[in-house]
Amino acid sequence: MTANTMPPSRAALLALSLALAAGAAHAAAPAAPAKGRTMQQVLDASQPGDWRELDPRNTIYLELERGRVVIELAPQFAPEHVANIRALAHSGYWNGLSVNRSQDNYVVQWGDPEEDAAKRKPLGAGAKAKLPAEFARKSAGLTMTVLPDADGWAKQAGFVDGFPAARDSAAGSSWLTHCYGTVGAGRDMAPDSSNGSELYVVIGQSPRHLDRNITTVGRVVQGMELLSVLPRGTGALGFYEKPSERAPIVSIRLAADLPEAQRARLEVLRTDTPLFAELVESRRNRRDDWYLQPAGHINVCNVPLPVREKKG
């Protein structure tokens, strides 16, 4: 040590040590994760190719006194039932029948309320009285957008052509899942006792235990509020006990049977695009300002499937 050099004080050493430690901590701190876009921001950024029009050959309109319910059919999962539903709609089978059941947190069901099979309305030309059970189908030929999280009811879950679905790769089978808005064909005890004339829609918490036990034929894409708010039936399983309680069906028609001017001009978001993957992530980890803790998980029945009026 030279004569002109003074040893540093303890206070100076302490200040230097704290400064170095703070600098090291700052350098080691991970960068804050980038805030992803909200679902609305994702949709606002969508391009025309991210949307698809409904196929009028696979779209039916359930016309109630209160308005129209639009249902997209899924022939890729239940081809024989869908063919029968087309024939029934084409012949006007449901016209003048009714919604006969509204079971809280479960389903709404419509068809012929007559319990005596001999007195029921004839199915009409082209419709078959008996169909095979179509609970699931082979996965070959289907492209699924698989969700990143585990599903409690299947090996994998995701979306096929816009429909919530699940699959078992080991068994090589896929099926539509019972989510809110899923439409199925009611049956009796025998697996092949459905002909598509009695239809139901899920209006409550997803009854996934029904998967692969009943034929699912499509989903409601618009007008769920017309069905979900119907008064609950007081009979067994939510059936209406009085004819006056039933909701009359004005008609059920195939969109392809109507002039284009009378069809709903709707587009649904495609589920096989990078934009849809971003939408899933925006719901899986909500980053809206209100949310403090992202969930980090999503199931197939909680992914929104946006629908909009066709532009132009």
Side-chain angles (χ1 to χ4, degrees), residues 126-150:
K128 299 178 180 178
K130 190 173 181 62
L131 299 174
E134 295 180 293
F135 301 163
R137 57 152 287 172
K138 293 185 181 298
S139 296
L142 292 179
T143 300
M144 177 181 284
T145 300
V146 179
L147 292 181
D149 300 309

Side-chain angles (χ1 to χ4, degrees), residues 5-304:
T5 302
M6 298 293 291
S9 67
R10 290 185 179 180
L13 287 173
L14 178 60
L16 178 61
S17 175
L18 291 174
L20 290 173
H26 179 75
K35 186 175 181 179
R37 294 190 289 192
T38 65
M39 174 177 158
Q40 189 57 54
Q41 290 170 333
V42 170
L43 293 177
D44 289 343
S46 67
Q47 300 299 311
D50 293 311
W51 300 84
R52 64 179 175 85
E53 294 184 49
L54 295 175
D55 183 347
R57 297 168 300 175
N58 293 318
T59 305
I60 58 173
Y61 300 143
L62 164 57
E63 306 283 1
L64 301 173
E65 292 178 342
R66 300 176 61 244
R68 171 181 285 181
V69 180
V70 181
I71 298 171
E72 182 179 23
L73 301 174
Q76 61 272 59
F77 284 92
E80 296 210 38
H81 277 74
V82 168
N84 233 40
I85 289 169
R86 288 195 195 106
L88 292 167
H90 186 70
S91 68
Y93 168 77
W94 285 287
N95 302 357
L97 296 182
S98 55
V99 176
N100 307 311
R101 175 188 180 192
S102 177
Q103 187 171 0
D104 191 47
N105 198 33
Y106 204 49
V107 301
V108 160
Q109 185 171 327
W110 61 89
D112 191 336
E114 178 57 61
E115 295 184 9
D116 186 345
K119 298 179 181 179
R120 289 197 164 198
K121 186 175 182 178
L123 295 181
K128 299 178 180 178
K130 190 173 181 62
L131 299 174
E134 295 180 293
F135 301 163
R137 57 152 287 172
K138 293 185 181 298
S139 296
L142 292 179
T143 300
M144 177 181 284
T145 300
V146 179
L147 292 181
D149 300 309
D151 183 76
W153 302 92
K155 299 293 184 182
Q156 289 180 315
F159 295 87
V160 175
D161 300 329
F163 292 94
R167 73 182 178 194
D168 184 338
S169 296
S173 63
S174 297
W175 57 94
L176 294 183
T177 56
H178 273 79
C179 298
Y180 183 79
T182 293
V183 177
R187 70 172 177 89
D188 292 325
M189 290 298 292
D192 61 350
S193 55
S194 166
N195 58 26
S197 64
E198 291 284 332
L199 298 178
Y200 66 88
V201 62
V202 176
I203 63 164
Q205 183 66 28
S206 315
R208 294 285 304 280
H209 57 281
L210 296 177
D211 291 2
R212 293 181 288 178
N213 285 291
I214 201 163
T215 298
T216 40
V217 299
R219 68 183 181 103
V220 171
V221 296
Q222 189 179 66
M224 271 298 295
E225 70 280 2
L226 300 176
L227 298 170
S228 62
V229 300
L230 288 173
R232 302 305 186 241
T234 56
L237 303 177
F239 278 94
Y240 294 125
E241 297 184 273
K242 301 176 182 178
S244 60
E245 296 174 318
R246 301 169 187 153
I249 293 175
V250 176
S251 66
I252 294 183
R253 297 175 292 178
L254 190 66
D257 289 342
L258 297 179
E260 190 169 350
Q262 295 181 26
R263 299 175 189 171
R265 290 173 52 83
L266 299 178
E267 294 180 321
V268 294
L269 193 71
R270 288 174 52 190
T271 57
D272 59 349
T273 65
L275 184 112
F276 181 73
E278 185 180 359
L279 181 141
V280 170
E281 181 58 25
S282 75
R283 306 299 287 188
R284 183 172 175 265
N285 282 297
R286 296 292 294 269
R287 295 184 177 89
D288 314 50
D289 292 337
W290 185 88
Y291 283 86
L292 303 178
Q293 181 60 54
H297 184 92
I298 198 165
N299 71 55
V300 68
C301 290
N302 287 132
V303 177

